[in-house]
Amino acid sequence: MDDRSLMYQDSPQGLRRMDYCNGVQGFINFTTSIPRNFTGGGIRCPCRKCENKKYLHPDVVMMHLLHKGFMENYQYWYVHGEVFGSKRRMEETVVGSTSSASNVHEATNDNTNPYRNMIMDAMRMNQDNVSQCPIVEEEPNVDAIKFFDLLKDSDEPLWDGCTNHNKLSAVAQVFTIKSDHGLSEAGYDKIIEWARSILPEGNRLKENFYVAKSMMKPLGLGYQKINMCPNFCMLYYLENVEMIECMTCGHSRYKPRTGRGKTLMAYKKLRYFLITPKLQRLFMSPRTAEHMTWHQAHDAVEGVMVHPFDSEAWKLFNSMHPQFSVESRNVRLGLCTDGFNSFESFAAPYSCWPVILTVYKLPPGMCMRPEFMFLSIVIPGPSSPGRNIDVYL
């Protein structure tokens, strides 16, 4: 389909134009040339009714497209494997054999999209298990909607004709600049306002920090707020979640209400960054999964310790917990913490305690690298928890 705008043009009589029919045939040829597009013999149908939510036989998809037309804003076939920036090569696949479409796909495979891979890792998916999803006729759930929205953003150009950036890459890179240089939200908004003014008309750069943050939120891990005693005696968690005062010192959990406010405000809150999703991502990403069973094939040298695996403590743990140690995928973690003044030395004394987890399953060259040291909780100040730090560990 030389001009993708023909996807949305009908003749006055409501009949499909011949060039549109040829374009539909080209779409089917291209889609069926990519094996991962198939699930149980069906491919996603991008018609106005199905909107890529149903897997149907290619012949049925062709009939849907001829009778109902393409869904809105689907000039780039990102769900069906079209790589951003490869449109001209796709146009060569109008009406031809599937072998010509296969050649186009092979040519585009060299130009992988790192932001698409980032989404796959963040949403705990990869190219293989995306194609292995079962055929579903029902509406996608919330997570699936977020996933496909992010995939669309990772393949949609920043403006029509842009080949260097897509909607997701632009926001991700500006977020990195904000983090590296400590920009305020107001400063971020001013830069975006200026950038949008010099970009071509109709650009898709998110207009402010709030909107961009909402777009990037599904890629984050999030955290859980847990109320705690201001004297570091206990956490209001699990079986203690309904208590309203400390069982040790009797201090109230909530601050006194002022004015007409109905929301109860706790004196102090702990931030808990869930560790399970982080570990799941290590196993889901093909770049790290193979290293998570490194110790199983590691041969220790007598008298030489290159990893905690070689220590006597590790061997003692194995002898005490044989059922745990026999499974190579079970994870062993190291824990460390220290207090620091988050407002620098010249400010008022304030002691904040982050707790870091280290994944000892990884080999020596990886387990102590910053990207594999996970922040699990942040114990707030202003004072140190002292001996009561065990309450949080």
Side-chain angles (χ1 to χ4, degrees), residues 167-176 188 205-206 212 215-216:
K167 287 174 62 177
L168 183 64
S169 70
V171 172
Q173 292 182 35
V174 179
F175 263 45
T176 301
Y188 179 98
L205 184 63
K206 296 299 182 180
M215 171 185 171
M216 299 293 289

Side-chain angles (χ1 to χ4, degrees), residues 6-38:
L6 295 176
M7 295 166 57
Y8 303 100
Q9 292 182 3
D10 294 336
S11 64
Q13 292 80 16
L15 301 175
R16 297 297 181 186
R17 300 162 55 97
M18 182 57 66
D19 47 8
Y20 174 85
C21 297
N22 292 340
V24 171
Q25 181 64 59
F27 168 79
I28 296 296
N29 289 346
F30 168 72
T31 302
T32 54
S33 71
I34 304 177
R36 67 180 177 85
N37 281 336
F38 283 90

